[in-house]
Amino acid sequence: MPTLVHEFAWPDRVVIGTIGVPGARTFYLQVRTGKQIVSIALEKQQSAELAEKIDDILDQLGTIEGNPFSVPAGTPVELVDNDQLETVEEQFRTGAMSLGWDPATAQIVIEAYPIIEIDADTGEIPDVDDAEVPEMLLVRMPVGTARAFAKRTREIVGAGRPACPLCGYPVDPEGHVCTLPEA
């Protein structure tokens, strides 16, 4: 069965956002071109890693003599997007992701695939219903948009629960009890 590819070559908007309160947030990668919008759920750590790796790629590209891809060192002000997520209808929960660079179009490329359920008893992938079509998200974004995406994502990830100064674990709004390591 062919894979349904949700492809965005030059998206109008691509952001990470959340729904819920710190400690119980769901992270979404949301992409829109015109009226086509796709939202996929992902983990906080996946979001953080994605932002870090995008910045790593852009930083490396920016060191190439003459900066031929016009990679901005910082986030272009005109590309800052602090708006909330648009209406979220989760397409799938992300399992595997890949990140790459397309020098032909000077774009960062993100591929996201859904979590594949594996039978705990057999270790095999169960038969997929005929109605269930395998799918993926493919996003291509220019360097300025990618830099703004990474910045916003770091801010969203960092806006969670504060860390306890003693144990380093997150502090819930109701309070926190930690056990200090024994000396």
Side-chain angles (χ1 to χ4, degrees):
M1 180 177 299
T3 299
L4 172 61
V5 178
H6 305 282
E7 185 171 359
F8 295 84
W10 293 90
D12 296 331
R13 184 172 196 228
V14 55
V15 295
I16 294 283
T18 61
I19 294 179
V21 297
R25 298 184 295 171
T26 301
F27 285 73
Y28 291 96
L29 168 56
Q30 187 173 77
V31 190
R32 178 180 49 78
T33 296
K35 293 183 178 185
Q36 179 190 10
I37 188 168
V38 171
S39 303
I40 61 170
L42 63 164
E43 297 297 323
K44 178 180 181 178
Q45 190 58 36
Q46 287 174 307
S47 302
E49 286 288 320
L50 187 58
E52 180 183 332
K53 297 303 181 191
I54 286 173
D55 271 340
D56 287 350
I57 290 171
L58 294 174
D59 290 346
Q60 288 177 2
L61 291 167
T63 63
I64 297 173
E65 177 102 17
N67 194 4
F69 301 110
S70 300
V71 177
T75 302
V77 176
E78 67 275 10
L79 297 178
V80 171
D81 181 345
N82 291 322
D83 294 338
Q84 296 293 321
L85 291 173
E86 297 176 47
T87 302
V88 174
E89 291 182 27
E90 183 178 311
Q91 196 67 39
F92 59 82
R93 178 159 287 283
T94 305
M97 295 181 81
S98 68
L99 182 63
W101 169 250
D102 183 351
T105 60
Q107 291 179 305
I108 293 288
V109 180
I110 300 171
E111 294 179 355
Y113 302 88
I115 292 175
I116 297 173
E117 301 293 328
I118 296 177
D119 186 293
D121 296 328
T122 65
E124 296 178 2
I125 299 172
D127 291 335
V128 177
D129 296 340
D130 289 335
E132 194 174 324
V133 176
E135 58 189 320
M136 69 169 289
L137 175 66
L138 173 61
V139 180
R140 297 172 171 276
M141 61 181 136
V143 292
T145 301
R147 189 67 86 182
F149 173 88
K151 178 182 187 296
R152 174 192 167 112
T153 301
R154 284 191 313 279
E155 291 169 355
I156 295 288
V157 168
R161 297 173 290 173
C164 172
L166 299 175
C167 69
Y169 287 104
V171 177
D172 291 319
E174 308 81 52
H176 172 75
V177 177
C178 62
T179 305
L180 295 175
E182 295 191 25

